[in-house]
């Protein structure tokens, strides 16, 4: 007979098309920012695990890269990483941008069908989460829910708004019931499994995307190459922004260096809040052709180079 106060713990894979709101949902469930969020599609490049405590349960939320039609080696590795997270999870949440589905955004509709086909191919069941419900009418939402549920790959449906928290608690309560009885997998005060060096790189990449959303090429990565704890308790962080072409450097630097200065200030402010100490951030921009085809870079992100 199970103990009355037995704890539960397990993994929940959050999958879906790019920009469906997966990272926003993970951050909302954890109650802290553990995954970067930008308007640019395919922002999440690798699995990010956020740890949520909910009553006597611990849910490890695996924020996965978006599922889309891959064209580059990096794309293929990202999609493979998403399905790897789903295959290994105790529960799967498929986040759908309901507003984009209702407006019949072609790419979004194709990516949702791609996820449904993938669930069927992997013989997996998921919890359907219709996101951004505050942007559409109720009758349209119910019609969309019925249509998607008829695909046969979903066990349950939840309608939420990850950005304003609507029905987030209901979803959390339900996910707890899907977790097996288990000791906690992480310390109770840990909110993510991302290293501080990787977190710092992700924060800077987020600010770059926010600042130059329209112009920024996908051929960009940020690496934390220096980390030195100072005697006064602060930390000196040196990062390099790598771009694939010389022509991309001016986009990052901006006129008179204004863009990179804004990015540095925004990233430093965010990191000081997350790390709880003063940060001295130094950014450099370098050209690194075809970094997206380097095996070592894939290994650093936990991606399969041969996917």
């Amino acid at each position: 007979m199970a103990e009355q106060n037995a704890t539960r713990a397990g993994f929940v894979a959050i999958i879906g098309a790019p920009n469906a709101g997966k990272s926003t949902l993970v951050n909302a469930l954890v109650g802290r920012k553990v995954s970067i969020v930008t308007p640019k599609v395919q922002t999440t490049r690798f699995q990010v695990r956020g740890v949520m405590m909910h009553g006597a349960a611990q849910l490890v939320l695996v924020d996965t890269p978006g599922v889309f039609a891959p064209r580059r080696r990096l794309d293929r590795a990202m999609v493979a990483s998403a399905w790897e997270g789903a295959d290994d999870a105790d529960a799967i949440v498929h986040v759908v941008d309901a507003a984009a589905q209702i407006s019949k955004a072609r790419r979004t509709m194709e990516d949702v069908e791609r996820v449904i086909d993938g669930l069927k191919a992997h013989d997996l069941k998921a919890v359907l989460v219709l996101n951004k419900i505050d942007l559409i009418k109720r009758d349209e939402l119910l019609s969309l829910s019925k249509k998607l549920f008829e695909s046969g790959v979903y066990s349950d449906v939840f309608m939420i708004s990850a950005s304003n928290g609507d029905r987030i608690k209901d979803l959390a309560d339900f996910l707890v019931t899907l977790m097996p009885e288990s000791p906690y997998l992480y310390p109770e005060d840990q909110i993510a499994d991302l290293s501080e060096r990787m977190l710092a790189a992700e924060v800077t990449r987020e600010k770059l995307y926010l600042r130059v959303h329209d112009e920024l090429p996908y051929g960009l990565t940020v690496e934390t190459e220096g980390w030195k704890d100072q005697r006064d308790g602060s930390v000196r962080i040196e990062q390099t922004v790598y771009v694939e072409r010389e022509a991309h450097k001016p986009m990052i630097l901006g006129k008179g260096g204004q863009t990179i200065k804004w990015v540095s200030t925004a990233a430093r402010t965010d990191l000081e809040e997350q790390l709880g100490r003063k940060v001295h951030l130094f950014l450099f921009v370098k050209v690194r052709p075809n970094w997206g085809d380097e095996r070592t870079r894939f290994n650093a992100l936990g991606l399969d180079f041969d996917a």
Side-chain angles (χ1 to χ4, degrees):
M1 181 175 175
E3 295 182 18
Q4 185 175 358
N5 297 322
T7 59
R8 294 177 178 269
F11 291 86
V12 181
I14 312 295
I15 66 172
N19 263 19
K22 301 183 299 297
S23 296
T24 302
L25 175 59
V26 169
N27 291 340
L29 287 168
V30 174
R32 288 273 301 280
K33 179 179 177 179
V34 297
S35 196
I36 65 173
V37 178
T38 81
K40 198 167 185 65
V41 298
Q42 302 161 30
T43 294
T44 301
R45 286 179 172 168
F46 54 92
Q47 293 181 16
V48 177
R49 292 176 177 83
V51 183
M52 178 184 75
M53 298 302 303
H54 196 71
Q58 183 183 75
L59 281 69
V60 183
L61 307 166
V62 186
D63 186 11
T64 64
V67 175
F68 59 103
R71 290 178 295 189
R72 307 168 299 168
R73 180 186 292 273
L74 179 61
D75 296 342
R76 293 194 297 272
M78 288 162 56
V79 173
S81 177
W83 286 115
E84 179 185 339
D87 285 331
D88 295 340
D90 297 291
I92 301 170
V93 168
H94 178 198
V95 182
V96 172
D97 181 340
Q101 284 288 108
I102 294 299
S103 66
K104 300 189 183 301
R106 184 176 61 84
R107 184 171 62 184
T108 300
M109 295 179 70
E110 290 175 350
D111 287 340
V112 169
E113 287 299 323
R114 192 168 283 110
V115 173
I116 291 174
D117 290 343
L119 289 169
K120 290 178 180 178
H122 288 247
D123 194 24
L124 297 170
K125 283 278 187 177
V127 177
L128 173 62
V129 170
L130 297 175
N131 190 25
K132 306 181 185 180
I133 61 171
D134 50 316
L135 303 179
I136 58 179
K137 298 177 181 177
R138 181 171 176 78
D139 59 336
E140 293 176 323
L141 184 63
L142 294 175
S143 176
L144 174 62
S145 174
K146 182 176 182 295
K147 176 185 175 182
L148 291 176
F149 198 83
E150 288 174 349
S151 67
V153 299
Y154 304 114
S155 61
D156 300 88
V157 180
F158 282 81
M159 304 175 188
I160 70 163
S161 173
S163 61
N164 66 24
D166 188 18
R167 291 208 68 191
I168 292 293
K169 184 180 182 302
D170 293 339
L171 175 61
D173 290 342
F174 177 75
L175 292 176
V176 166
T177 68
L178 304 182
M179 297 300 100
E181 289 190 0
S182 165
Y184 294 150
L185 305 173
Y186 290 89
E188 291 184 52
D189 59 352
Q190 185 170 341
I191 63 169
D193 73 345
L194 211 59
S195 71
E196 289 185 333
R197 293 175 71 100
M198 185 68 79
L199 167 67
E202 283 292 275
V203 167
T204 299
R205 188 163 65 91
E206 176 188 59
K207 305 313 176 191
L208 282 163
Y209 280 7
L210 292 174
R211 179 67 177 188
V212 283
H213 169 57
D214 294 328
E215 302 87 356
L216 191 69
Y218 282 109
L220 170 152
T221 190
V222 179
E223 295 187 9
T224 301
E225 299 184 329
W227 186 288
K228 185 177 181 181
D229 295 316
Q230 310 284 58
R231 290 183 178 180
D232 62 1
S234 64
V235 59
R236 175 189 173 94
I237 302 174
E238 295 182 0
Q239 295 179 331
T240 301
V241 180
Y242 287 105
V243 293
E244 291 184 319
R245 301 176 185 174
E246 193 68 39
H248 293 159
K249 285 180 67 175
M251 301 180 190
I252 307 301
L253 296 172
K255 186 177 181 180
Q258 288 303 306
T259 298
I260 199 69
K261 288 178 183 177
W262 182 93
V263 169
S264 179
T265 299
R268 176 178 52 78
T269 300
D270 196 335
L271 286 170
E272 286 182 340
E273 180 179 346
Q274 300 224 34
L275 299 176
R277 55 173 166 163
K278 187 173 181 60
V279 171
H280 307 280
L281 181 61
F282 298 87
L283 300 182
F284 307 91
V285 183
K286 296 182 181 179
V287 178
R288 185 168 161 183
N290 302 317
W291 67 263
D293 289 317
E294 296 177 6
R295 185 180 293 273
T296 54
R297 184 59 187 158
F298 280 63
N299 292 341
L301 297 175
L303 296 174
D304 183 359
F305 184 78
D306 299 311

